[in-house]
Amino acid sequence: MADSFYRAKISHTEKTVEQLYKMQYYVYEKPRMILRALIGFGLVVTAVLSGLPTWGKALLLLVGAWLLVSRDFPAAVRADRALSEREAKLPDMNYSFGQDKVHLSGEGSMDIPYNKLTRLVEDKQYLYLFLNRNSVCMMEKDSVKPADLMAFAKFLEEKTGRKWQAEKSFLSMSIYDIRRAFKDMRAK
């Protein structure tokens, strides 16, 4: 694509595939994560405060603790399934950002108009361009060329009409983040 303004890429590894599925889960399944944590917390509190026999308390503590610490377990299962289906043949994806669309190449090639992107999300190492719940483009921040990440982010905001979101860890979420997650769930 000769008229590209920016380029980016990613060479997928098991780690990047796992991170991709985790990010999908964090972006679209926050209410489920919150519910799992609340149920886990409720089971732990019930175990501590109830007069159940020791084996009952142990069972409640076991299940409650597992629900509390395994917030992204469904994402890990999906990532493992995807990796085993691919049999270690992971793609290298290249992205070219033009005037009206993103051109993807790697496992085949396609063009995505900017208005089809529904969310722009970032974490410490990667940028994610979501088309929907099950379709996302992931790229390494370090691979963006020209190497002006701020200008690239602004370029995509202007083209898509969307703002970048930095996904927060579950423990650093505020009440506003939780409210937004449930509002997003109702909007679907």
Side-chain angles (χ1 to χ4, degrees), residues 93-104:
M93 300 299 297
N94 295 295
Y95 305 93
S96 297
F97 297 86
Q99 181 65 31
D100 301 322
K101 62 189 175 230
V102 180
H103 178 75
L104 282 71

